[in-house]
Amino acid sequence: LLSTGLFKEARVSPGATSPDRSEIDIEVEVKEKPRHVFATGFGYGSGDAFRLTGSWADRNIGGMGRNLEFKALTAFQVWSGFKTVRRQARAGFLEPWLWGGRTQSEVSLYYDDFRPPYTDYRLQTIGLDLMLVKMLGRYSSLGARWKQEWLKLSPDWSRQGSAADTVSYRGRRTMQLFGEYRRFDDPVNPRSGLGYEWQTDYTGGLLGGAETYQRLANEWTFHFNPYRTLGISARLKYGIIGDWALHAQVPLYEKYFLGGPTTVRGYSSGRMGQVDAAGNNIGGDKMGLINLE
């Protein structure tokens, strides 16, 4: 009940046993969260620097857990001059019980204007995202996603005398399959348990569009807490991206970039790895990451 996100309290207690002991009454007492939510936020991170966020949601349309949400984000840096790093806007609708079963469906429209600080390109994306997720059990799920995107790349937008938008919008289509297994003692702050996620993408090729590549990625997470004051947490993450038909080059903005608080601490976001003659990071086609705490 709590994992639905609809209730702030849920109490389940057994009642009286029937005379033949074949049935037991169960008393369930819940307290619903507010259905309409408006939130704003201000934060700072080593990747996007300063961030302003805002969102509005109706998270229980018709009393069936259907969710309609609008989100917006602006990120900017202020050192060495004011610079906008990212602008995002997203609208999404979630149906948690498609066809009356344990299948979630979600449709999203989004716009993303990204100018990463670790390289010198600007990528604008308009997209439509359709997703289905089937709950296989309490801890595992399997999903599929279809993305139709239109991208506009400006390779040298920040250089003096270079046109701000050097490439027009181009279409791209992606089919994605993914799955996960997550069995933790606490979904927010786990102290013990195992998690596994896998993802495979097929972009372009037979689906058409301006770009062609394939991606395979896996991530393992492990928490072990034998003593109250001593625990071990580990993560293994690896991936590969390329066009195995050798017909196309992987675009720069789809390559792997490591560095930052969620990958390798001690490096700024995206700053770990090879650089070009101008000092910009060029990313990689393969990625392997191990974290141990």
Side-chain angles (χ1 to χ4, degrees):
L1 289 171
L2 291 177
S3 68
T4 65
L6 302 177
F7 306 103
K8 57 184 177 182
E9 289 184 17
R11 299 178 181 177
V12 181
S13 56
T17 306
S18 62
D20 61 1
R21 295 185 174 273
S22 62
E23 295 180 352
I24 300 177
D25 292 330
I26 301 295
E27 182 176 322
V28 181
E29 186 177 356
V30 296
K31 186 176 290 187
E32 186 180 3
K33 291 181 178 179
R35 294 192 178 191
H36 299 96
V37 179
F38 174 74
T40 59
F42 176 76
Y44 175 83
S46 60
D48 289 344
F50 295 96
R51 295 189 294 268
L52 294 172
T53 60
S55 64
W56 178 91
D58 184 337
R59 53 190 177 189
N60 197 10
I61 298 175
M64 296 298 291
R66 300 183 182 96
N67 186 296
L68 177 64
E69 186 173 35
F70 300 91
K71 289 184 176 181
L73 175 146
T74 297
F76 54 91
Q77 295 179 347
V78 295
W79 51 83
S80 66
F82 184 89
K83 175 186 175 182
T84 300
V85 177
R86 192 160 214 160
R87 292 192 185 99
Q88 285 182 332
R90 189 179 190 93
F93 177 77
L94 172 68
E95 166 57 72
W97 303 100
L98 186 65
W99 303 310
R102 300 188 62 181
T103 301
Q104 292 185 356
S105 64
E106 184 175 6
V107 56
S108 301
L109 289 169
Y110 56 91
Y111 171 77
D112 187 15
D113 183 357
F114 186 35
R115 312 175 194 193
Y118 48 80
T119 187
D120 200 22
Y121 69 80
R122 174 187 182 186
L123 180 66
Q124 296 165 275
T125 307
I126 300 172
L128 172 66
D129 191 344
L130 304 174
M131 183 171 63
L132 291 175
V133 179
K134 175 67 175 178
M135 303 301 296
L136 302 179
R138 184 177 178 182
Y139 307 109
S140 59
S141 63
L142 187 65
R145 168 181 278 148
W146 168 270
K147 292 196 292 186
Q148 171 66 62
E149 296 176 307
W150 294 267
L151 303 100
K152 190 176 189 179
L153 176 65
S154 306
D156 303 316
W157 68 273
S158 64
R159 296 183 183 177
Q160 295 293 328
S162 179
D165 297 314
T166 57
V167 179
S168 60
Y169 280 98
R170 300 180 299 172
R172 179 174 76 176
R173 287 175 282 277
T174 299
M175 183 66 190
Q176 182 184 96
L177 299 176
F178 57 92
E180 70 172 18
Y181 174 85
R182 296 174 61 84
R183 187 167 184 174
F184 299 123
D185 61 334
D186 186 323
V188 179
N189 296 304
R191 297 173 63 85
S192 64
L194 175 69
Y196 171 67
E197 299 179 21
W198 65 270
Q199 174 187 322
T200 177
D201 296 358
Y202 181 87
T203 298
L206 298 176
L207 302 179
E211 296 175 355
T212 295
Y213 63 84
Q214 301 87 50
R215 185 199 309 270
L216 298 172
N218 291 269
E219 181 174 351
W220 296 83
T221 307
F222 174 73
H223 300 279
F224 180 59
N225 187 234
Y227 307 104
R228 279 194 133 180
T229 57
L230 177 64
I232 297 174
S233 293
R235 177 173 66 165
L236 170 63
K237 187 175 183 179
Y238 49 93
I240 183 171
I241 185 172
D243 178 19
W244 283 276
L246 302 178
H247 292 156
Q249 293 291 324
V250 176
L252 174 68
Y253 44 83
E254 291 296 342
K255 291 190 175 185
Y256 293 108
F257 292 88
L258 292 178
T262 61
T263 59
V264 183
R265 296 173 188 172
Y267 291 86
S268 298
S269 293
R271 293 289 188 179
M272 186 180 181
Q274 286 186 298
V275 298
D276 60 16
N280 295 313
N281 287 65
I282 61 176
D285 297 333
K286 303 177 185 68
M287 179 271 295
L289 173 68
I290 298 175
N291 297 125
L292 180 64
E293 296 185 355

